[in-house]
Amino acid sequence: MKKTKRPTEQELLHQWLEGDLDLTQQLYVEKDEPQPEAVEPYQPKRDRDTFLRSLRRSLRLYNVLAFLLCAVFAALMLMTVANLPRYGSADAPTVNEVAQRYVEQGTEETGAVNTVAGMILDYRAFDTLGESNVLFIAACSVLILLRISREKDGSQSSEQLMVEVNDRMYEPKNDTILQHITSFLVPVVLLFGMYVIMNGHISPGGGFSGGALMGAALILYLNAFGFKKTERFFTFKVFQRVSLCALSFYALSKAYSFFTGANHLWSFITPGTPGKLFSAGLIPYLNLAVGLVVCCTMYAFYTLFRKGDM
């Protein structure tokens, strides 16, 4: 009789995490029991208590490593805080010339009447790029954890079909009042969100607030009309392309600004006339890129938490 190699504890743990190992069945077989020769793939046979002890050891090791990692980060942050200047000190960032320059020369140098917009999208545009990437990474993490995978041929899996059926039970059944009000409100909210984004360098607003308004409008439309109608214009591919184009434009445009500014080279980007819609250099377009990322992320979060797909 041909004997089959028994899997190790690590292999059993991996199979259990992947869902290929069922611990509810009786899995124990004597060591000397022969296996049938090439009749069917060998199914793992293991005493459940032994396997669970191995699993507990692995989890304890994971907890110890996680605790040590958190302790190292906490120690680094405490050391950083301990080295910060005291409140009211002459070395504190709040009393240096940076804030004074923002207020006195911000409009002249950036072309933005809204000093906050000029600060976050010109003086500190690199920080804002990091914030936008944080949103994108958060969306990717939620996609990895919650999105239900399709079959290898691209068709819907049984899990997706089951979730689809369950979700249709809670979708509105042609609620006339809700749908008519939504048909009136959604275009208005989208236009107002775009207004807040494009006027963010002139008045209070910007990409984050305007993007949140546009994302709320999409969520309202979804709740009124359901996934079937919403997917006619907003799908997972649309989310991918819009997020990719917005972040790429932001990164490339600011890379150009950083390069020309650091090397004192001529740039076609000018502040323009403060107070005009198309002024403040790239700030209106960067606001638009940030707003699109925020809008797509809000809608993606809602759909993934609701049914695990877009």
Side-chain angles (χ1 to χ4, degrees):
M1 290 293 186
K2 182 179 180 181
K3 292 186 178 181
T4 306
K5 181 182 178 181
R6 291 180 178 277
T8 62
E9 293 179 351
Q10 289 76 13
E11 293 173 343
L12 287 172
L13 175 61
H14 178 73
Q15 292 175 0
W16 180 73
L17 293 174
E18 292 292 333
D20 298 331
L21 179 61
D22 187 4
L23 297 180
T24 60
Q25 299 178 358
Q26 184 66 25
L27 301 178
Y28 180 78
V29 172
E30 296 295 337
K31 291 183 178 179
D32 297 330
E33 180 181 349
Q35 298 295 329
E37 184 175 357
V39 176
E40 59 181 355
Y42 171 65
Q43 299 296 328
K45 306 295 183 179
R46 190 79 175 180
D47 180 65
R48 186 167 64 178
D49 294 336
T50 303
F51 175 70
L52 290 177
R53 283 195 298 271
S54 173
L55 179 61
R56 293 190 191 99
R57 288 196 298 268
S58 301
L59 291 177
R60 281 196 294 269
L61 177 61
Y62 172 80
N63 291 333
V64 171
L65 293 176
F67 174 78
L68 292 176
L69 183 62
C70 291
V72 170
F73 275 107
L76 291 175
M77 288 188 288
L78 290 174
M79 292 171 60
T80 303
V81 172
N83 292 321
L84 289 176
R86 293 183 177 274
Y87 181 78
S89 172
D91 297 329
T94 55
V95 295
N96 61 19
E97 71 279 0
V98 175
Q100 182 179 358
R101 185 184 183 92
Y102 288 165
V103 175
E104 295 180 354
Q105 303 182 35
T107 301
E108 178 184 352
E109 293 180 345
T110 66
V113 178
N114 183 359
T115 305
V116 176
M119 181 181 65
I120 65 175
L121 290 173
D122 192 288
Y123 292 117
R124 299 179 57 188
F126 190 76
D127 295 344
T128 307
L129 174 61
E131 294 170 6
S132 300
N133 277 282
V134 166
L135 288 175
F136 180 70
I137 293 171
C140 292
S141 301
V142 174
L143 281 169
I144 294 172
L145 294 173
L146 296 183
R147 190 166 189 246
I148 302 174
S149 301
R150 292 178 173 268
E151 299 291 348
K152 293 183 178 180
D153 58 358
S155 60
Q156 286 186 314
S157 61
S158 57
E159 291 84 359
Q160 283 183 317
L161 294 174
M162 185 181 301
V163 172
E164 188 80 18
V165 172
N166 292 336
D167 188 73
R168 296 297 185 206
M169 295 174 59
Y170 300 101
E171 285 196 351
K173 307 301 181 183
N174 295 323
D175 190 322
T176 305
I177 296 177
L178 176 62
Q179 291 180 350
H180 277 77
I181 293 176
T182 300
S183 299
F184 170 75
L185 283 180
V186 168
V188 175
V189 175
L190 288 175
L191 286 175
F192 181 65
M194 188 62 66
Y195 169 83
V196 171
I197 292 174
M198 296 306 297
N199 286 270
H201 62 294
I202 301 174
S203 61
F208 287 98
S209 52
L213 287 169
M214 296 173 65
L218 291 179
I219 294 173
L220 174 61
Y221 186 90
L222 174 63
N223 282 301
F225 293 98
F227 277 96
K228 188 174 182 180
K229 289 187 177 180
T230 308
E231 288 169 355
R232 292 182 303 182
F233 61 89
F234 199 102
T235 61
F236 181 65
K237 288 185 177 180
V238 174
F239 165 77
Q240 286 179 310
R241 292 168 182 172
V242 171
S243 299
L244 176 62
C245 292
L247 289 173
S248 299
F249 169 77
Y250 193 114
L252 293 174
S253 60
K254 292 314 297 181
Y256 170 79
S257 298
F258 296 154
F259 179 79
T260 55
N263 294 279
H264 305 287
L265 301 176
W266 177 86
S267 174
F268 69 90
I269 302 173
T270 60
T273 304
K276 299 294 184 179
L277 181 62
F278 296 103
S279 62
L282 291 174
I283 292 180
Y285 311 102
L286 298 178
N287 261 329
L288 179 60
V290 173
L292 291 175
V293 173
V294 173
C295 172
C296 293
T297 303
M298 282 187 58
Y299 180 79
F301 279 3
Y302 182 81
T303 57
L304 290 170
F305 277 100
R306 175 166 168 173
K307 74 166 190 173
D309 199 4
M310 294 180 64

